[in-house]
């Protein structure tokens, strides 16, 4: 199941949730304040959003693009 990021407009907190792809944009309750005033945080790569939050890992240097890039070739994102 893919990991998605969501942003709560009430407590201004980002949180992550594992959801089926079909429910990626479905309403989700904030984990911190239980508000439903949340929206999906659109980020192309998990590595990018992690560096945004200050917990940067060297994922970007490892050739990480989308999840199918792991094998070295990727036809979906074109990073590699
Ligand atoms: Zn919240």
């Amino acid at each position: 199941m893919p990991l998605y990021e969501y942003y709560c407009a009430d407590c201004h907190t980002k949180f992550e949730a594992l959801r089926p792809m079909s429910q990626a944009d479905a309403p989700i309750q904030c984990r911190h304040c239980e508000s439903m005033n949340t929206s999906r945080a659109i980020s192309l790569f998990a590595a990018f959003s992690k560096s945004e939050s200050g917990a940067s890992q060297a994922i970007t240097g490892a050739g990480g693009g989308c999840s199918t890039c792991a094998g070295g070739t990727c036809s979906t994102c074109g990073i590699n």
Side-chain angles (χ1 to χ4, degrees):
M1 231 185 305
L3 182 68
Y4 294 105
E5 269 203 338
Y6 298 89
Y7 177 77
C8 174
D10 281 355
C11 66
H12 306 286
T13 303
K14 273 187 180 178
F15 60 98
E16 296 173 331
L18 280 170
R19 311 186 89 188
M21 207 172 292
S22 59
Q23 292 178 24
D25 292 312
I28 186 170
Q29 190 176 46
C30 174
R31 289 187 179 178
H32 302 279
C33 69
E34 299 187 344
S35 167
M36 288 299 289
N37 193 13
T38 56
S39 59
R40 187 176 160 199
I42 305 298
S43 56
L44 291 178
F45 309 121
F48 178 74
S49 55
K50 289 224 186 305
S51 62
E52 253 188 345
S53 65
S56 179
Q57 305 293 330
I59 299 175
T60 32
C66 67
S67 56
T68 55
C69 289
T73 55
C74 179
S75 58
T76 53
C77 76
I79 289 291
N80 290 325

